Amino acid sequence: MASEAAALLVDDFDSRGPIARPTLHDAIVARVRDMIIEGELAPGTRLHEGNLGKMLGVSRTPLREALKFLVSEGLLELSPGRGAVVRQFSAKDVHDSLIVLGNLEGLAGRLACEHATDAEIREVRRLHDRMMDMYEKRDRLPYFKLNQSIHSAILRLSKNEALVSVHNVLQARLKRIRYIGNEGPEKWAGAVADHEEMINALEARDADRLSKVLTDHMAETWERVRNAI
């Protein structure tokens, strides 16, 4: 039962059903997404398909399909005459999105406390512990992916598909912004402290506390990133 719950909860690390080898499409999407998240491809950068394909060792056709997928996620946009460009968000775009995310996650936290099984909550604890291990190692990208998996897991525990769907759109668009919120030891420690509160509130099924922590976390994320936008 625990393994089944894990399959439903983990976002970037596991998938439903039998384990399958990632497709070329998935591998290209993941690699380019990581390049955007880590800032290797900065906002406003035009992606030259030929050069990027050579760097990744792939042909243009699968690369083009992967870029289209990242456009659908909101990480890239198509610019007339320029092709795919790394999306650049204004400060207002980011602030507005974080306000919405905070309220969505606050509602999800409340519903998760009501609907999640004990086994599902234990799986979130396992994700949290793995994330903390990455924090202790200061391994930032794996830490970030586990961090995002925790947020996605709490949304799924709400058992509200409409809520999950809307949240996924905004979370995908803001991956780079959320990543820079961990730059510097103080900001990173602050984010970790928020997550410690989250898991404790979830395990206690304290709906009011978890809702407030999640909402406040997004407000604090804005304070961490506002000067970097």
Side-chain angles (χ1 to χ4, degrees):
M1 291 296 292
S3 62
E4 292 175 3
L8 290 171
L9 287 174
V10 182
D11 186 15
D12 292 291
F13 295 85
D14 300 310
S15 60
R16 300 184 185 191
I19 296 173
R21 179 174 294 180
T23 65
L24 178 60
H25 171 82
D26 293 339
I28 298 171
V29 166
R31 178 70 180 281
V32 177
R33 186 192 288 125
D34 287 351
M35 293 170 75
I36 294 170
I37 290 171
E38 294 189 280
E40 187 175 346
L41 295 173
T45 300
R46 172 181 174 267
L47 303 188
H48 188 286
E49 291 182 6
N51 292 342
L52 186 57
K54 288 179 182 177
M55 179 189 301
L56 301 179
V58 298
S59 64
R60 287 198 178 196
T61 298
L63 176 60
R64 190 171 291 128
E65 291 304 311
L67 297 183
K68 287 179 181 177
F69 183 83
L70 291 168
V71 168
S72 74
E73 281 196 334
L75 290 175
L76 300 176
E77 56 189 359
L78 294 177
S79 176
R82 297 185 68 200
V85 177
V86 179
R87 186 167 181 177
Q88 191 160 14
F89 294 95
S90 69
K92 187 176 188 308
D93 290 334
V94 173
H95 191 210
D96 288 351
S97 296
L98 287 172
I99 289 171
V100 175
L101 271 178
N103 282 277
L104 292 174
E105 294 203 1
L107 174 58
R110 190 175 297 282
L111 293 172
C113 287
E114 179 180 351
H115 297 301
T117 66
D118 290 344
E120 288 170 334
I121 291 175
R122 284 195 295 271
E123 288 304 327
V124 179
R125 162 56 76 175
R126 290 187 183 99
L127 283 174
H128 176 83
D129 290 345
R130 289 167 61 193
M131 182 192 74
M132 292 303 295
D133 184 51
M134 292 301 103
Y135 175 65
E136 293 299 324
K137 295 175 180 177
R138 298 302 188 268
D139 200 344
R140 192 170 163 209
L141 186 58
Y143 163 89
F144 176 74
K145 289 183 177 183
L146 283 160
N147 176 303
Q148 294 293 282
S149 290
I150 291 167
H151 285 274
S152 295
I154 292 172
L155 262 291
R156 284 193 289 276
L157 294 188
S158 74
K159 311 296 172 73
N160 186 308
E161 291 301 321
L163 186 58
V164 171
S165 178
V166 175
H167 178 271
N168 284 347
V169 172
L170 287 176
Q171 178 164 266
R173 289 179 184 173
L174 293 181
K175 284 185 183 292
R176 168 62 185 164
I177 299 299
R178 302 283 297 279
Y179 184 74
I180 65 177
N182 297 325
E183 286 182 344
E186 290 185 10
K187 291 180 180 180
W188 197 353
V192 167
D194 289 349
H195 271 263
E196 292 276 24
E197 287 194 56
M198 286 177 208
I199 189 62
N200 290 334
L202 178 61
E203 288 177 329
R205 293 185 184 271
D206 188 333
D208 289 340
R209 180 183 171 198
L210 181 56
S211 179
K212 185 177 187 305
V213 170
L214 286 163
T215 303
D216 290 350
H217 181 63
M218 289 303 162
E220 290 159 6
T221 296
W222 166 245
E223 294 303 322
R224 294 178 189 122
V225 305
R226 63 187 304 173
N227 293 326
I229 301 171

